[in-house]
Amino acid sequence: MSEVVCTLWGRAGLDRAAQGVLGAGRRLADSTGAALRAIIVGTADDALASGAQAVADRVVVATGPGLEDYNPESYLAALSDLCKAASATVVLLGNDTYAQEIAARLAHRLGGSAAGDAVAVHAEGGKVRVTRGVYGGKATAVIELEKSPAVVWVRARAIEPADAAGRGAGEVERVTPELPATGVKVLERQEESKGGARLEDAQVIVSGGRGLGGPEPFTELQKLADVMHAQMAASRAACDAGWVPASWQVGQTGKKVAPQLYLAIAISGASQHIMGIADSKVICAINRDADAPIFKHCTFGLVEDYQKVIGPLTERLRSAK
Ligand SMILES: Cc1cc2nc3c(=O)[nH]c(=O)nc-3n(C[C@H](O)[C@H](O)[C@H](O)COP(=O)(O)OP(=O)(O)OC[C@H]3O[C@@H](n4cnc5c(N)ncnc54)[C@H](O)[C@@H]3O)c2cc1C
């Protein structure tokens, strides 16, 4: 195994996901005697460049026309060339929406194999093995990737950062890849309105489901979230109903979160929802149905109508401050 590549996005900065990807890459490289290269696509701020430099043996920052903002075709073309130039045997990415869009295609272009949602990556007998949850987290599978390079997107926020900070990688190399004309043109971008930290980085999350019955109760949940300094989230059913923005959706087809506390209110706990919250430290649930699946996944559960709980809980927390 010669070179492990960690792929990072300049736009995202040195967030918890970038630290997790670097941590997974550093440990894999150390255990196999490989070098670790960080490839940052898009302009990197100082924190990201120096954070990557402290962990990786070599850092390449790719910028230039076509890479300022995320464009799947340009990012794919740049990454594919840079991974080939590195003779990468393993390419790690975070499990964000960019990676979910391009990682499998990257593996195909590199003639390798791909696996996603990894909670751990290690090498055995010269092959990369990926550990991931299956059946909505009910079981764990270990998958061996046959073809090299192994392109793996990891549940980065649940993976420990590297403890190798200070190792020092020397110069950061800056490159401007020549990109082919793409058939994709971004017509418009809409920034989601941000109220505090990104959901993926939130430490406390208050999340509501279809059992709330409409958009109005989310106003009550917001008051609770404010007292708890929490971010708001929702199940897909609540988002699909148009009660809250789609960007609040947590789950298999939504955001993957890893807070210290996830409070699920009137959410049944479908496997697709659990896939997005499985990395939470503590899950609490309020549901009036004692048989709701969410109770199999939570640390604390309250069988009760949420309407009897939210107001008094908000008041109690407010007065306790
Ligand atoms: C391919 C695929 C991908 C999917 N991706 C996602 C995803 O990313 N995220 C996601 O969330 N879902 C996803 N889903 C949908 C998922 O299967 C469920 O349909 C969805 O999570 C259900 O949302 P919910 O729990 O809010 O609603 P429901 O399943 O309808 O549950 C509502 C809950 O509220 C409780 N309740 C009702 N009234 C009250 C009350 N007054 N007080 C307390 N509790 C009450 C009920 O007992 C019930 O348990 C996906 C499905 C598919 C097929």
Side-chain angles (χ1 to χ4, degrees):
M1 195 167 294
S2 56
E3 189 120 18
V4 174
V5 166
C6 288
T7 304
L8 309 169
W9 313 127
R11 275 175 76 85
L14 186 65
D15 63 359
R16 182 65 185 81
Q19 293 172 31
V21 174
L22 287 166
R26 183 71 267 167
R27 284 185 287 277
L28 186 62
D30 287 346
S31 69
T32 56
L36 179 65
R37 183 182 302 217
I39 295 177
I40 301 174
V41 185
T43 307
D45 62 18
D46 288 347
L48 178 58
S50 58
Q53 197 179 14
V55 175
D57 302 301
R58 188 168 178 188
V59 179
V60 178
V61 182
T63 53
L67 299 178
E68 302 94 342
D69 286 316
Y70 174 69
N71 177 316
E73 300 301 322
S74 316
Y75 273 42
L76 189 57
L79 266 180
S80 154
D81 286 350
L82 292 166
C83 289
K84 277 182 196 155
S87 302
T89 44
V90 183
V91 181
L92 299 178
L93 305 97
N95 64 339
D96 51 41
T97 47
Y98 296 0
Q100 282 165 11
E101 185 170 16
I102 64 175
R105 296 176 64 197
L106 178 64
H108 177 70
R109 286 199 187 184
L110 298 174
S113 31
D117 255 340
V119 290
V121 191
H122 71 283
E124 214 163 294
K127 293 269 168 62
V128 173
R129 290 190 178 177
V130 162
T131 307
R132 51 173 296 185
V134 288
Y135 304 120
K138 289 192 177 73
T140 300
V142 178
I143 299 161
E144 187 168 279
L145 298 179
E146 288 289 328
K147 289 200 221 159
S148 176
V151 178
V152 181
W153 54 110
V154 296
R155 298 182 76 118
R157 287 182 174 74
I159 291 179
E160 281 299 304
D163 51 16
R167 192 182 178 108
E171 285 297 298
V172 175
E173 185 188 345
R174 297 186 188 274
V175 297
T176 307
E178 279 196 22
L179 302 173
T182 73
V184 174
K185 194 171 161 194
V186 178
L187 297 178
E188 190 190 355
R189 279 179 199 283
Q190 288 189 353
E191 289 284 327
E192 50 181 90
S193 55
K194 294 192 182 77
R198 293 166 69 217
L199 197 49
E200 295 94 324
D201 294 325
Q203 292 299 299
V204 184
I205 293 176
V206 171
S207 188
R210 178 156 45 199
L212 292 178
E216 296 80 16
F218 276 93
T219 314
E220 293 307 306
L221 258 58
Q222 182 70 63
K223 289 179 192 159
L224 175 63
D226 289 346
V227 180
M228 295 173 71
H229 301 295
Q231 296 289 300
M232 290 287 290
S235 70
R236 175 162 155 181
C239 295
D240 283 356
W243 299 344
V244 291
S247 58
W248 287 20
Q249 186 186 321
V250 165
Q252 179 186 345
T253 42
K255 290 181 175 148
K256 313 282 186 295
V257 298
Q260 296 294 317
L261 173 62
Y262 185 86
L263 177 54
I265 301 167
I267 291 176
S268 59
S271 59
Q272 296 90 355
H273 188 80
I274 300 299
M275 280 182 77
I277 65 170
D279 296 329
S280 306
K281 284 273 183 314
V282 174
I283 297 173
C284 294
I286 302 169
N287 196 305
R288 68 179 176 191
D289 176 7
D291 294 325
I294 190 81
F295 289 127
K296 294 199 184 90
H297 302 276
C298 66
T299 317
F300 303 104
L302 178 63
V303 181
E304 187 54 277
D305 185 332
Y306 81 87
Q307 298 179 68
K308 294 186 184 155
V309 181
I310 302 307
L313 179 60
T314 308
E315 276 318 307
R316 189 74 183 267
L317 289 172
R318 196 173 280 142
S319 58
K321 283 194 163 182

